[in-house]
Amino acid sequence: RMPVSVPAADRRQRASAAFSLSFLSLVFSITAFSSSYWCEGTRKVAKPFCTGQSKGDHCIRFNSPDANNSSAVQYIWETGDDKFVDRKFHAGIWYSCEEIINEEGETCRSFISLIPAADRGVLWLSVVAELLYIILLLTGAILMSVEMCYYSTVIDGLKMNAFSALVTVLAGLLGMVAHMMYTTVFQMTVNLGPEDWRPHTWDYGWSYCLAWASFACCMAAAVTTINKYTKTILEFKHKRKMLERSLKIKYKFPDH
């Protein structure tokens, strides 16, 4: 007869896998929350006039070498897109940063200040949901680590297992809502935000992908924890049936 009970080593492996996924989700979420690369793209801005040793690729040159003589200065007005240059930008929950043309570095400003007033409440809800998501992930990871390290009765372990599964599922739901709210706010800002910020082209960046990877790891940890809980319950039910069957046989055919 093949044994149908789940060995203790298998339960420990499942608990370790759930903790690893939960911890990975926590690291991903904190990294994404603190970064400013949720969305990346370019803005079309007018080329500045060349000064000093500046090259003409990203600036408009004078048609006279005598730049100090204002009466001799005439500008070559370029046509079409030639008078514009693409300025790269990246934005997150907290900041939006743009590169400085013809110089190294970038300039940053608060992303909250760019959002239309009617949508700022949605962003703050997204921030609160992200913070709760991180707190619940941390709580779930702590419960899973305590379950692995604290050797108590199996019933206590089951209770802790059920609570950590509930916390992790709730964290995943909050994370999903938070990411979707930020997506909505960013798209509204692209359409209704200030003229000096609206992007010409944009796409989601690595932080946005990392945030959804955190959500995926969180749900995988929740599924693993629930699966471990269910298998342990089924193992107990099977052992109970086997014990009842053996007791019935013993009372029916007592040893003489």
Side-chain angles (χ1 to χ4, degrees):
R1 180 188 292 269
M2 294 294 293
V4 295
S5 61
V6 181
D10 185 47
R11 289 199 299 268
R12 285 195 296 269
Q13 288 178 357
R14 292 178 184 278
S16 178
F19 172 76
S20 300
L21 287 168
S22 182
F23 182 77
L24 195 64
S25 176
L26 179 64
V27 172
F28 284 173
S29 63
I30 293 175
T31 304
F33 184 69
S34 58
S35 68
S36 60
Y37 285 85
W38 285 62
C39 297
E40 300 178 76
T42 59
R43 273 202 328 114
K44 276 195 177 297
V45 296
K47 290 182 181 179
F49 297 116
C50 296
T51 57
Q53 301 296 323
S54 299
K55 300 285 177 121
D57 294 337
H58 298 294
C59 60
I60 298 176
R61 289 170 292 181
F62 300 111
N63 70 341
S64 169
D66 188 11
N68 293 324
N69 185 357
S70 59
S71 62
V73 172
Q74 294 179 2
Y75 301 128
I76 301 176
W77 294 104
E78 300 172 322
T79 59
D81 288 338
D82 291 336
K83 66 179 178 181
F84 293 100
V85 64
D86 290 331
R87 173 185 286 181
K88 294 181 181 178
F89 84 97
H90 56 88
I93 294 177
W94 303 108
Y95 295 103
S96 175
C97 300
E98 298 179 9
E99 67 175 348
I100 302 174
I101 301 176
N102 292 329
E103 294 181 23
E104 294 184 358
E106 55 187 14
T107 176
C108 298
R109 48 184 165 171
S110 171
F111 180 68
I112 298 173
S113 64
L114 302 172
I115 301 173
D119 298 319
R120 287 180 186 173
V122 181
L123 180 68
W124 283 116
L125 284 175
S126 174
V127 170
V128 171
E130 286 284 353
L131 287 173
L132 289 175
Y133 172 57
I134 292 173
I135 291 171
L136 288 176
L137 278 178
L138 179 61
T139 304
I142 291 173
L143 288 173
M144 292 175 190
S145 63
V146 169
E147 182 191 353
M148 287 194 315
C149 301
Y150 177 65
Y151 296 98
S152 61
T153 62
V154 181
I155 298 300
D156 291 340
L158 275 174
K159 292 178 181 177
M160 195 169 295
N161 190 243
F163 190 58
S164 61
L166 179 64
V167 168
T168 309
V169 169
L170 183 59
L173 293 175
L174 276 172
M176 180 182 66
V177 171
H179 304 343
M180 292 177 66
M181 283 195 296
Y182 177 82
T183 305
T184 303
V185 168
F186 186 84
Q187 292 176 351
M188 292 296 292
T189 308
V190 168
N191 296 325
L192 303 175
E195 290 286 347
D196 64 340
W197 179 84
R198 292 184 195 176
H200 178 66
T201 60
W202 66 275
D203 202 353
Y204 297 110
W206 61 266
S207 296
Y208 187 81
C209 298
L210 202 64
W212 282 108
S214 170
F215 167 75
C217 290
C218 174
M219 297 312 294
V223 169
T224 305
T225 307
I226 293 171
N227 181 263
K228 175 177 174 289
Y229 176 83
T230 306
K231 286 202 170 188
T232 306
I233 292 293
L234 291 176
E235 177 189 3
F236 272 115
K237 286 184 177 181
H238 175 75
K239 285 184 177 180
R240 183 178 176 181
K241 286 181 180 179
M242 294 297 293
L243 180 61
E244 290 176 351
R245 186 179 301 174
S246 64
L247 288 174
K248 285 180 180 178
I249 295 175
K250 183 176 181 181
Y251 284 116
K252 185 178 291 186
F253 302 103
D255 295 332
H256 295 287

